[in-house]
Structure formats: structure tokens, C-alpha cells
Amino acid sequence: RAHGYVIEAQLEPGMGPTANLLVTRGTLHVGEIIVAGPYWGRVKALINDHGIKLRTASPSMPVKCMGLSGVPQAGEAFQVYTSDRVARDLTERRDDELQAARMIVPQKASLSTMAEYLKQDQRLELKLILKCDTQGSLEAIHKVLEEIKSDKISIAIVMDGVGNINENDVLLASASNAIIIGFNVSKEERVARAQKTEGVEIRLYSIIYQIADEIREAMSGMLAPELRDKLIGRADVRQVFPI
């Protein structure tokens, strides 16, 4: 059975979830059932780097795969299974584990009230939900955000993923007091209504460094100003004229 790794994955218009796979062992065939992380599917098509559809993919051959139920993480291992029931049960178990790890105690708040934590001498945490067009974009944004340092404010990634911003993202952002950052993606239907109801902030970008710049500005705006007295002059009162 074929085995290998996900090089890149994305959500492509008209094609759905696609994954660039590198086969390291065995031969991957069209129609086989594969599992990559919390997603599974039957291989609908294999496309090489020249855009030609193939029936098989042998070791060391990179191909684009269509048919997965979602967008897996880059670097995720994939494996061929003979039973769709086994593949479905395995991915459901993995998905439950991921959801359990992301469970957050709900707390209603908004970006404008985050500065209140600083007044209470608490460390402020800027929570973000990232949605990007590809796994490569996610990794690049993670790296840029890690370079932003602050003694009083920390950045926490509540959830990240590949694909358009959906209603579940808005509900999660509302429950976890997070801002949704979208890179080269759009908002699905019903997102606008959910955003208005939940009061969640959504920001869309097409340049990674704009994200970093605005995050820095937002973090600076959350900090309470430092008050200092500066002597600019002296005066002597020589005469008082009562009125």
C-alpha cells in the first residue's frame, strides 16, 4: 500500500480540497482510499506537475490528489487503506482529539475591552483565528507572528485552517474572544449575519506583512499610556489683580 507525505494542501475553486502528495513507498492508484490526518477520501484524480492526469503515482513522484474530505496539514503522513469504514473511524477519532484539544472556556468580550485587563495588572492575550488559502501561507504567517515580541501582550492562535471563513469560525471567535484573520480567502454565506450577531471582528489581507504591521499597531493600542511629568518652564507671580 502506498505511503507518503503531504507537501502542500489547499482549497481550490471548482476542485475542492486538494493535496500535493509525495509517495515514499508503494504505488498510489486512482480509486484507492487514503487517510491524511483527520481527513480521508477516495482518490478521484492524480495530476502531475505538467497538469497531466495519471492513473498511478510511484515512489518519489509528486502528484496533486483530489478526493479528500478536507485540507490536511503540510507534512502530514498519508496512508492507503482497503476499507472506507476503517478510514472513516480513524479520521473521526483523530478529529475528536483535535476538537478536544481546542476546547476553550467561553468568555464574552471584544477587542475594544481588552485594555481593561491591563488596568487590572493582568497579562493581555491577543487571540487569533487564522484562515488561509494554503498550508504554506499558514506556516509563513505563524513565523511572522512569532517574531512579534511583547512583555505585556502575548499572541495566541486559537485555531488555524485552510479555506474560506465560515459560520463556525465566527462562533468560535465569539466564544474565545478572538479576532479572525483571513489571508487570500473570502467569507462564506451567513458569515455576515453571524458576524453582526456575535460582534466578531474579521480582517482580510492579501499581503502577509500587512498582517504583522496591523497586529503590532493593535497590540500598541491595547497598552495603557505611560504618564510622565516634564518641566517646561518656571514663573514668579509678581502682582495679583483681584477682579
Side-chain angles (χ1 to χ4, degrees), residues 13-227:
M15 300 178 68
T18 63
N20 298 342
L21 307 179
L22 180 63
V23 181
T24 58
R25 186 180 69 239
T27 301
L28 182 62
H29 300 79
V30 172
E32 287 185 323
I33 299 170
I34 65 171
V35 171
Y39 305 109
W40 75 284
R42 191 177 296 273
V43 179
K44 294 181 179 180
L46 295 173
I47 305 172
N48 66 7
D49 55 333
H50 297 290
I52 301 174
K53 290 188 176 181
L54 307 175
R55 297 295 302 175
T56 62
S58 55
S60 76
M61 180 183 295
V63 289
K64 177 181 290 187
C65 173
M66 297 174 55
L68 285 171
S69 59
V71 181
Q73 294 283 341
E76 195 85 62
F78 77 86
Q79 175 72 50
V80 170
Y81 288 81
T82 57
S83 170
D84 57 351
R85 178 177 297 179
V86 174
R88 187 183 297 109
D89 292 343
L90 176 61
T91 54
E92 287 179 353
R93 186 166 65 251
R94 290 178 178 177
D95 185 63
D96 290 341
E97 293 173 354
L98 288 175
Q99 294 299 331
R102 292 172 177 171
M103 286 297 291
I104 299 170
V105 178
Q107 51 176 354
K108 292 296 182 180
S110 63
L111 180 61
S112 60
T113 60
M114 283 185 177
E116 295 299 323
Y117 288 94
L118 289 176
K119 296 179 181 179
Q120 304 169 8
D121 294 329
Q122 295 183 9
R123 181 177 176 83
L124 187 62
E125 190 174 53
L126 178 60
K127 298 179 180 180
L128 303 176
I129 292 177
L130 301 178
K131 296 300 291 288
C132 300
D133 54 344
T134 66
Q135 289 290 345
S137 299
L138 269 181
E139 294 178 3
I141 293 175
H142 270 281
K143 184 175 181 180
V144 169
L145 294 180
E146 288 174 358
E147 295 175 353
I148 301 177
K149 304 296 182 181
S150 175
D151 295 332
K152 297 182 179 180
I153 304 177
S154 60
I155 298 177
I157 307 298
V158 176
M159 189 273 289
D160 59 17
V162 175
N164 292 327
I165 299 170
N166 55 45
E167 189 175 8
N168 290 334
D169 299 328
V170 177
L171 296 178
L172 177 59
S174 175
S176 59
N177 186 26
I179 304 170
I180 300 178
I181 301 295
F183 180 75
N184 283 340
V185 295
S186 58
K187 296 185 287 187
E188 294 183 356
E189 298 179 4
R190 301 193 299 180
V191 167
R193 180 182 301 176
Q195 179 185 2
K196 184 177 180 180
T197 302
E198 301 295 335
V200 172
E201 185 174 1
I202 300 178
R203 300 190 179 188
L204 303 178
Y205 301 90
S206 59
I207 300 176
I208 292 180
Y209 291 103
Q210 284 184 350
I211 299 176
D213 292 340
E214 292 202 9
I215 291 297
R216 289 192 185 95
E217 292 177 4
M219 293 171 65
S220 300
M222 293 177 196
L223 294 176
E226 295 182 0
L227 302 180

